Amino acid sequence: MNQTMKSEIVLKDVKSECNEIPATGALCRFCGTSLRHTLVDLGMSPLCESYLAAEQLNRMEPFYPLHVYVCERCFLVQLQEYVSAESIFTEYAYFSSYSDSWLQHASNYVDQMVQRFGYDTSSFVVELASNDGYLLQYFIKKNIPCLGVEPAVNVAQVAIDKGVPTLVKFFGAATAHEMVSSGRHADLILANNALAQVPDVNDFVRGMKILLAPGGVVTIEFPHLMKLMEENQFDTIYHEHFSYFSFITSQEIFAAHGLTVFDVEELPTHGGSLRIFARHTEDTSKPLTSRAHELRQREISAGFMRLETYSQFGEQVKETKRKLLEFLIRVRRENKSICGYGAPGKGNTLLNYCGIRSDLLDYTVDRSPYKQGKFLPGTHIPIFHPDKISETRPDYILILPWNLKHEIRQQLSYVREWGGRLVVPIPVVEVLD
Ligand SMILES: [Zn+2]
């Protein structure tokens, strides 16, 4: 081995150890620091909600990097905006109302909020990224005035048809100014799984500060970064999710805009989410709760303010891929059949990253009529109506929305008739009893 080669190898080793890559010119979307550290690189992937019709299968398909960075100053985990939010969200395939457990979650939330903060017919509730009105419908049932803000035209139309008032717009400081100039401030602003999807997180939080009435409350739900890393949920990373938050980082972002996060709940949704509660910093009527204090301490102890904690994640992800592929190859060698259940965004990240096409997974099914008859982006696996499972009687069914595995297990209890087994891919591939 000559001297040059030797030094190259040494350099490579040092690089992979500290996960530091040359500056890409990208800056942290919250604090503006140069992004130099990788959390995980999932390679090239298509937009995960771009389901294909049969006539699109022979065309070129855009793929973008799924390269996730962590900011060394504020620890915001983030993807660059490779595709503009406008092109992703103007027509969107995700309809919240197709999940029973998510509807139940929304209904429980409304009951809980009304009980805790006493909202009534004189209050005003605004939901950002209100989707198809899955949640606001429960405020309407209680005669509490509300308004949804939703940028996806097709999804907003479903809400409007249901009688949920909806403004078809992207939310930010400009929209908030328009809303308060033409009417009133909001007593409650909520946004579920929206904060991750805004490219300009500062503009979004600034908008909430403008829209919030004195004494009002903001609640935001987002997947908890600590859970994502602890439970290996790398498939919840996709181009539509620009940011991934720890509790600590969310507090820092809100504080920068004059909002104090005073309470937090840990929820089982989406594999482990946080619901944070914020208020105007000057509103001292709602003191910091012990739950908020405790979670902050827990994240600090778990190392979420140290870069080394983030640098180990990539290897864990590669091992998960190897285990899943080993399982699928074994099933194929045994001449057994396997199909998927569900066509969620997370399934598309998983299948594209692992290189699983219809050579390893025959087909998948989904309850949403919008997806049936289409094909998964990138992998081109066909999507059928769930009846396909009882018609073809597969030996194994891979549950792609593993976060709903309990609900799906009940729906699929009939597969036992022919000895069918259910499998989850995350946190590690497992055949369920
Ligand atoms: Zn930062």
Side-chain angles (χ1 to χ4, degrees):
M1 191 184 281
N2 67 37
Q3 200 54 44
T4 329
M5 274 178 77
K6 222 177 188 174
S7 64
E8 255 181 36
I9 289 165
V10 171
L11 262 178
K12 261 187 189 163
D13 283 346
V14 170
K15 263 188 177 174
S16 66
E17 259 173 36
C18 67
N19 269 6
E20 187 172 321
I21 51 143
T24 56
L27 303 177
C28 171
R29 65 168 45 85
F30 167 58
C31 76
T33 303
S34 218
L35 294 175
R36 298 186 301 141
H37 300 275
T38 294
L39 179 78
V40 65
D41 184 356
L42 298 172
M44 299 293 286
S45 213
L47 293 186
C48 76
E49 298 282 341
S50 310
Y51 298 90
L52 302 170
E55 63 272 19
Q56 294 172 295
L57 293 178
N58 292 335
R59 296 191 201 147
M60 283 209 294
E61 213 180 332
F63 277 57
Y64 304 92
L66 261 186
H67 190 149
V68 189
Y69 295 89
V70 57
C71 172
E72 65 197 83
R73 201 197 73 73
C74 71
F75 301 104
L76 180 63
V77 167
Q78 54 199 294
L79 275 175
Q80 288 180 59
E81 189 186 2
Y82 297 107
V83 195
S84 78
E86 281 79 3
S87 69
I88 294 176
F89 297 114
T90 309
E91 163 113 12
Y92 201 49
Y94 187 75
F95 292 87
S96 301
S97 294
Y98 286 108
S99 162
D100 298 338
S101 60
W102 189 239
L103 286 177
Q104 189 60 48
H105 176 76
S107 165
N108 292 347
Y109 166 83
V110 173
D111 289 343
Q112 199 182 323
M113 293 303 286
V114 169
Q115 200 176 12
R116 179 168 175 185
F117 297 106
Y119 300 119
D120 58 24
T121 52
S122 68
S123 311
F124 184 45
V125 175
V126 173
E127 182 179 13
L128 310 176
S130 51
N131 202 268
D132 57 7
Y134 74 101
L135 188 144
L136 289 180
Q137 62 183 342
Y138 300 109
F139 279 112
I140 289 174
K141 276 191 193 153
K142 294 181 191 291
N143 293 315
I144 297 169
C146 61
L147 176 67
V149 183
E150 170 56 52
V153 183
N154 59 327
V155 180
Q157 193 54 49
V158 174
I160 293 165
D161 293 346
K162 265 198 260 191
V164 177
T166 305
L167 187 63
V168 185
K169 268 208 163 156
F170 279 92
F171 182 78
T175 304
H177 277 303
E178 276 173 41
M179 289 168 79
V180 295
S181 70
S182 66
R184 53 210 290 209
H185 289 81
D187 302 296
L188 171 63
I189 302 172
L190 70 121
N192 290 342
N193 303 307
L195 195 61
Q197 304 191 349
V198 293
D200 189 344
V201 71
N202 286 318
D203 183 55
F204 192 80
V205 179
R206 200 178 297 129
M208 292 194 282
K209 173 76 182 172
I210 294 162
L211 182 61
L212 190 66
V217 171
V218 176
T219 77
I220 308 277
E221 290 178 29
F222 52 83
H224 190 189
L225 179 64
M226 186 156 81
K227 281 281 181 191
L228 186 156
M229 288 174 62
E230 277 175 3
E231 301 191 11
N232 200 28
Q233 302 163 351
F234 65 88
D235 59 342
T236 61
I237 293 166
Y238 28 85
H239 299 104
E240 289 83 341
H241 286 179
F242 300 118
S243 311
Y244 303 81
F245 303 90
S246 63
F247 181 57
I248 300 171
T249 301
S250 75
Q251 279 187 314
E252 188 172 340
I253 294 171
F254 276 69
H257 296 284
L259 294 166
T260 297
V261 176
F262 66 94
D263 194 11
V264 62
E265 283 178 65
E266 290 176 81
L267 309 168
T269 47
H270 294 281
S273 297
L274 294 184
R275 176 185 292 153
I276 60 169
F277 294 72
R279 51 149 165 96
H280 287 293
T281 300
E282 56 274 22
D283 170 12
T284 50
S285 66
K286 301 170 195 72
L288 200 71
T289 65
S290 55
R291 291 194 291 204
H293 180 73
E294 188 274 328
L295 182 57
R296 186 180 173 82
Q297 290 311 312
R298 188 150 32 104
E299 283 191 350
I300 293 170
S301 314
F304 279 81
M305 293 182 86
R306 279 184 287 120
L307 212 45
E308 307 89 84
T309 309
Y310 297 88
S311 66
Q312 295 143 12
F313 187 63
E315 188 47 41
Q316 181 183 319
V317 170
K318 286 181 205 159
E319 180 57 17
T320 312
K321 170 177 179 169
R322 294 190 282 259
K323 289 209 167 106
L324 178 59
L325 286 174
E326 268 169 9
F327 171 78
L328 291 172
I329 290 166
R330 183 167 59 75
V331 165
R332 286 304 181 188
R333 289 224 165 100
E334 290 168 357
N335 275 325
K336 302 237 169 92
S337 53
I338 179 162
C339 73
Y341 186 92
K346 57 169 71 69
N348 289 326
T349 294
L350 180 81
L351 299 172
N352 277 294
Y353 170 64
C354 295
I356 298 166
R357 285 174 273 275
S358 49
D359 50 351
L360 291 173
L361 201 65
D362 295 329
Y363 62 84
T364 192
V365 300
D366 200 277
R367 289 168 79 189
S368 165
Y370 185 91
K371 296 179 186 173
Q372 291 163 10
K374 292 194 171 154
F375 295 80
L376 298 183
T379 60
H380 294 195
I381 292 171
I383 310 165
F384 295 105
H385 186 280
D387 284 351
K388 184 83 172 174
I389 292 178
S390 48
E391 287 161 23
T392 59
R393 301 182 152 225
D395 298 303
Y396 293 99
I397 296 140
L398 180 68
I399 300 177
L400 295 170
W402 44 260
N403 53 310
L404 305 175
K405 69 180 174 189
H406 299 298
E407 176 181 340
I408 291 167
R409 200 182 212 172
Q410 284 176 349
Q411 287 166 16
L412 292 181
S413 57
Y414 63 87
V415 307
R416 289 198 210 109
E417 283 169 33
W418 63 85
R421 310 284 303 272
L422 304 180
V423 184
V424 287
I426 301 286
V428 70
V429 63
E430 184 194 355
V431 179
L432 302 178
D433 296 326

